[in-house]
Amino acid sequence: MIMRMATAAALSLLLAGTALAQSPAPAPSDPPAATTAAPAAGSEAASATAEAEPTTADACIAAAASLGQSTEGKSFSEEKIEKLDQLFSRMETLCDGKQFSEAMAVAKDIKTVIDGD
């Protein structure tokens, strides 16, 4: 169980680190983005992020990171951990290649695996 939690945490850190490394620092004159809706929790946030197709690699990686965060606190079989690892790697590759539609299709697969537990 500890191994599963460590793997899920590592996946989250990997995706979050990649998203942070690729995102440019905001210019000092940029106003903070205002949100009108209350933030969703857990897989609802991942679902909302995965449904809107990103238009940049940074947004795509952020969607993957959001999905990775939705795995926190859940335990998966070794088979599902391997499957999620493969899917997250594929999604990251597609995001880097600016193939956003394909990446969002993989995001749906990831969500299916996560929710199937």
Side-chain angles (χ1 to χ4, degrees):
M1 182 161 155
I2 293 173
M3 180 65 171
R4 291 179 187 150
M5 290 175 52
T7 303
L11 283 172
S12 296
L13 290 174
L14 170 75
L15 293 173
T18 304
L20 290 174
Q22 292 181 354
S23 61
S29 63
D30 289 345
T35 57
T36 56
S43 63
E44 292 175 3
S47 175
T49 304
E51 288 175 9
E53 188 171 316
T55 57
T56 65
D58 292 340
C60 187
I61 295 292
S66 177
L67 283 169
Q69 289 175 347
S70 71
T71 64
E72 291 180 15
K74 294 185 178 185
S75 61
F76 300 103
S77 67
E78 290 296 320
E79 181 180 302
K80 283 194 177 188
I81 291 172
E82 289 178 28
K83 180 71 173 174
L84 285 170
D85 186 37
Q86 290 171 354
L87 289 170
F88 276 116
S89 294
R90 184 167 181 228
M91 185 174 177
E92 183 178 0
T93 301
L94 291 168
C95 288
D96 289 340
K98 298 182 181 177
Q99 298 174 329
F100 305 126
S101 297
E102 293 85 351
M104 291 302 97
V106 173
K108 288 180 183 179
D109 292 342
I110 291 170
K111 184 156 174 37
T112 300
V113 172
I114 292 170
D115 292 341
D117 190 44

